[in-house]
Amino acid sequence: MPMAFLGHGSPMNAIEHNRFTQSWAEFGRSVPRPRAILMISAHWYINATAVTGMARPRTIHDFYGFPRELFDFDYPAPGLPDLAGEVADVVKPTWVGTDADSWGIDHGAWSVLAHAFPDADIPIVQLSINGERDLDYHFDLGAQLAPLRESGVLIIGSGNIVHNLRAVDFSVPESGYDWAQRFDDAARQVMLTNPADYPTLAGHHDYAAAVPTPDHFLPSVYLAGLAAGTSDDSSTTVLVDGCSYGSLSMTSYVVD
């Protein structure tokens, strides 16, 4: 299976149609049907590494201040409890717990899946992001997940490489500040040419502005780890790029 990182942006993208959502839909149509999807969403950011293990994950509306239509949105995909055990086995000796009832499918996952796989008939399992671990931990864990591709698991990270909500300017929906574009360009250069160096972006002079908190950046670190840990002839390409509202990068990647 291929692998992807999708820049999800505003929750409104779940119910809107633009060039970013169009790219997610095209991606979904282009891939072989997965046995399951392992989602690594910026919005399950906790103090442990865990996977969802419920048969019927709930749709989580983890936001506020948006239209009623968004709160009514449901993504009724099934879970796949057996995949939780497969993830735990493939990353040993790294410990991964199983969440049987507290989480589900958050908007970082369903806002992109609603376009990529609108029928909601592919089992979804989410992997949490452990906020107590550094970039190298997440990079290495991404590389450890690579064998799941061989068993029909599509791995998707969902976040934003540049994500600074305090600097958002809604008057510029199609552009980014100079520092946001610089960091997005730097991340693209590393992701496409030498993903093994991706964690070194923490030393970039625009990192503090682009990544004031690591939650949305870390799903892209998983893709870099997966890309660096892939020994076949896979190549990384840009699915769609660009910034929104000044301080959000919507750039997305596929490893195929």
Side-chain angles (χ1 to χ4, degrees):
M1 295 300 297
M3 309 168 284
F5 167 80
L6 305 179
H8 66 241
S10 166
M12 290 298 294
N13 283 319
I15 56 176
E16 292 179 345
H17 297 277
N18 51 53
R19 68 185 185 93
F20 304 116
T21 65
Q22 181 180 349
S23 74
W24 306 338
E26 291 172 351
F27 168 72
R29 290 191 294 266
S30 72
V31 301
R33 180 178 173 85
R35 176 172 68 96
I37 298 171
L38 179 65
M39 289 293 308
I40 305 165
S41 166
H43 291 275
W44 195 18
Y45 186 73
I46 58 175
N47 63 350
T49 304
V51 284
T52 53
M54 64 283 293
R56 287 288 168 187
R58 63 191 176 99
T59 301
I60 300 172
H61 302 89
D62 49 330
F63 44 71
Y64 59 90
F66 287 93
R68 183 73 250 170
E69 181 182 3
L70 206 58
F71 288 92
D72 291 339
F73 189 93
D74 186 41
Y75 192 79
L80 186 62
D82 288 348
L83 183 55
E86 293 178 47
V87 172
D89 286 341
V90 81
V91 302
K92 286 180 178 178
T94 303
W95 181 86
V96 176
T98 300
D99 168 34
D101 53 18
S102 69
W103 203 243
I105 305 174
D106 61 56
H107 86 266
W110 57 257
S111 65
V112 297
L113 293 174
H115 295 277
F117 303 99
D119 293 336
D121 58 351
I122 298 171
I124 308 297
V125 169
Q126 282 205 216
L127 174 68
S128 73
I129 297 175
N130 189 336
E132 297 185 348
R133 298 290 189 157
D134 61 16
L135 296 189
D136 287 333
Y137 169 87
H138 297 287
F139 180 90
D140 293 341
L141 186 56
Q144 289 175 278
L145 294 171
L148 293 173
R149 297 174 64 198
E150 305 303 324
S151 62
V153 177
L154 174 62
I155 303 172
I156 302 177
S158 176
N160 296 97
I161 289 170
V162 177
H163 186 266
N164 188 329
L165 293 184
R166 291 190 175 186
V168 161
D169 182 351
F170 290 106
S171 70
V172 288
E174 295 290 334
S175 63
Y177 302 123
D178 288 348
W179 54 263
Q181 294 175 340
R182 281 196 305 267
F183 188 77
D184 196 42
D185 289 345
R188 182 187 303 108
Q189 175 68 19
V190 177
M191 183 71 82
L192 296 182
T193 62
N194 191 11
D197 283 347
Y198 201 77
T200 66
L201 286 167
H204 191 278
H205 60 277
D206 293 311
Y207 181 80
V211 188
T213 59
D215 46 309
H216 278 69
F217 180 69
L218 284 171
S220 71
V221 176
Y222 278 83
L223 185 73
L226 281 159
T230 298
S231 59
D232 58 20
D233 59 354
S234 296
S235 61
T236 305
T237 57
V238 176
L239 179 66
V240 66
D241 63 1
C243 291
S244 293
Y245 305 119
S247 61
L248 297 177
S249 162
M250 298 294 293
T251 303
S252 303
Y253 299 94
V254 175
V255 179
D256 197 358

